[in-house]
Amino acid sequence: MKYMLLVYLDEQALSDSEREHCYVESARLTQDLSTSGHYLQASPLHPVATATSVRMRAGKRLVTDGPFAETREQLGGFYLIEASDLDEAIAIAERVPPAKFGTVEIRPVMEIEGLPAN
């Protein structure tokens, strides 16, 4: 089963050097996950200040700068993994470096007909 691990953290929680170290640790984790057959995709995201939100209301497009909701933690990146069950996904999520100071949300990926194959 596919799981999306959504990484949430306060963007101001890390210094530049701590952030760079986190990227190195995250890259190392993706190599380990690739070797074990769990890795599908992963990437950090640019800061929330670069976000654009799109909403359709009454047939009209509303485009605003920034995220939809202001929170203490922002979506900072993701991992798309293959795991046999939720327990295995949890075991992988606890290895995600930002889990030490943020939150990793685990969501099963819904497979629906009509989506392009990889």
Side-chain angles (χ1 to χ4, degrees), residues 75-87:
L75 179 61
F78 70 93
Y79 291 77
L80 181 61
I81 63 165
E82 184 74 40
S84 59
D85 55 29
L86 180 58
D87 289 334

Side-chain angles (χ1 to χ4, degrees), residues 17-30:
S17 63
E18 289 170 324
R19 182 173 286 105
E20 200 55 44
H21 180 70
C22 185
Y23 292 154
V24 170
E25 285 183 315
S26 295
R28 193 173 304 129
L29 173 60
T30 61

Side-chain angles (χ1 to χ4, degrees), residues 67-101:
F68 180 72
E70 302 249 348
T71 62
R72 289 183 21 196
E73 294 183 324
Q74 295 80 37
L75 179 61
F78 70 93
Y79 291 77
L80 181 61
I81 63 165
E82 184 74 40
S84 59
D85 55 29
L86 180 58
D87 289 334
E88 187 174 40
I90 291 169
I92 293 170
E94 71 184 22
R95 296 174 57 201
V96 173
K100 298 173 205 158
F101 44 83

Side-chain angles (χ1 to χ4, degrees), residues 53-68:
S53 295
V54 177
R55 298 171 192 81
M56 293 297 293
R57 300 294 184 266
K60 295 185 183 194
R61 181 182 70 186
L62 251 96
V63 179
T64 55
D65 291 338
F68 180 72

Side-chain angles (χ1 to χ4, degrees), residues 99-110:
K100 298 173 205 158
F101 44 83
T103 302
V104 178
E105 177 184 347
I106 302 169
R107 302 271 300 270
V109 174
M110 188 181 297

